[in-house]
Each structure stands twice: as structure tokens, then as C-alpha cells.
Amino acid sequence: MVNYKDPHLDLIFAALSDATRRGVLAQLGDGSQTVTELAQQYEMSLPGFMKHLAVLETAGLIARSKEGRVVRCELDAAPMQDAAAWIAHYQRFWTEQLDSLGRYLYHQEEIASCPTPSSPPKSASAAPTPSPPKKSGARGPTRKR
């Protein structure tokens, strides 16, 4: 069963909601990198970038380690499994809904392609039937406020 009130899941989706943080995760998918290497890709201050890293770390998506003055970041994709399970629940729902829609549309197409037993009779007159007059006229004056 999918847990709808999981605060950890909220943290994961909040972390993934930002393009910068998703970019950092993509970079870390190739292996661990220093904060300096990660920050070079983004036109923002280092303190601003560090806030993004803090969000990712709080969500459990990255791990930071410090060696002297160098801070390295490493991807921890395990928490994304919870998010993937939540999404998979709804994927099944939408797949079922779309399959049902497909069956309905196929049925409608089958009905439409079947020949009708008899066509409606044609008019005895060769002249076209005039269209009924339009009931609405031009727009009236607009009021100024």
C-alpha cells in the first residue's frame, strides 16, 4: 500500500522539484564530485548553491564527506525508490484508465464503421435548403468604468 502521509517522501519530492537539484543529482550519477566541481555548472553564489546541497542531504539523496578543506558529495539514490513506488501506484491507475479509454474508442470506431440499414431519403427538390437566420446581432456598445 502506498503511504500518502510520509514526511520523508515529501522531502524527496521537494528536493526533486528544483531543476538545479535535479542537475546536481545527474552530475553525481557519474560519480562523486567536490562541491566546487558541482557548483561550477551553476551561476549562483556558493552559499546559495550550498542551500541546494542541504536540501538534497536532508532528503537523503546525497552524502557529504570532508577531507581536510575539500567536501565531496556522493549520490544516494536509495530514497528515490520510495518516490518511484508512489509514482508506480498512479502509473497503474492511469494505465488502466487509458486502456479503458482505448477500448471505448475502438468500440465507437467499430460502431461508426458499420453500414447503416437505410439512408435517410433525399429531398425531392434540387434546390439547397436555406440556413435559418442568425438570432444574435452585432455587439452593443461597451460601458466605460
Side-chain angles (χ1 to χ4, degrees):
M1 172 133 180
V2 176
N3 187 355
Y4 299 104
K5 295 186 179 191
D6 183 359
H8 185 66
L9 193 58
D10 294 343
L11 292 172
I12 294 167
F13 281 118
L16 296 174
S17 70
D18 184 80
T20 299
R21 294 190 286 265
R22 289 190 308 271
V24 169
L25 293 175
Q27 284 177 265
L28 292 174
D30 296 332
S32 70
Q33 294 185 23
T34 67
V35 170
T36 306
E37 292 169 336
L38 290 169
Q40 288 174 351
Q41 302 289 323
Y42 306 96
E43 294 180 14
M44 65 178 68
S45 67
L46 188 57
F49 184 75
M50 295 298 288
K51 289 180 182 179
H52 285 289
L53 293 181
V55 170
L56 291 169
E57 188 173 31
T58 301
L61 296 170
I62 66 168
R64 288 195 262 191
S65 61
K66 189 172 183 179
E67 298 171 17
R69 295 179 61 182
V70 178
V71 178
R72 295 193 73 77
C73 296
E74 187 175 324
L75 176 66
D76 182 3
M80 284 192 245
Q81 290 179 343
D82 296 334
W86 189 88
I87 291 169
H89 171 76
Y90 288 98
Q91 180 181 2
R92 285 190 301 272
F93 168 77
W94 281 111
T95 299
E96 290 171 10
Q97 296 299 314
L98 291 173
D99 287 347
S100 177
L101 176 62
R103 287 188 301 272
Y104 173 78
L105 293 174
Y106 179 78
H107 180 69
Q108 293 298 333
E109 187 177 286
E110 289 292 315
I111 291 172
S113 66
C114 291
T116 57
S118 62
S119 319
K122 292 188 177 183
S123 173
S125 165
T129 306
S131 299
K134 292 184 177 178
K135 294 183 180 180
S136 64
R139 208 172 203 192
T142 58
R143 290 173 38 190
K144 293 184 182 179
R145 293 185 184 203

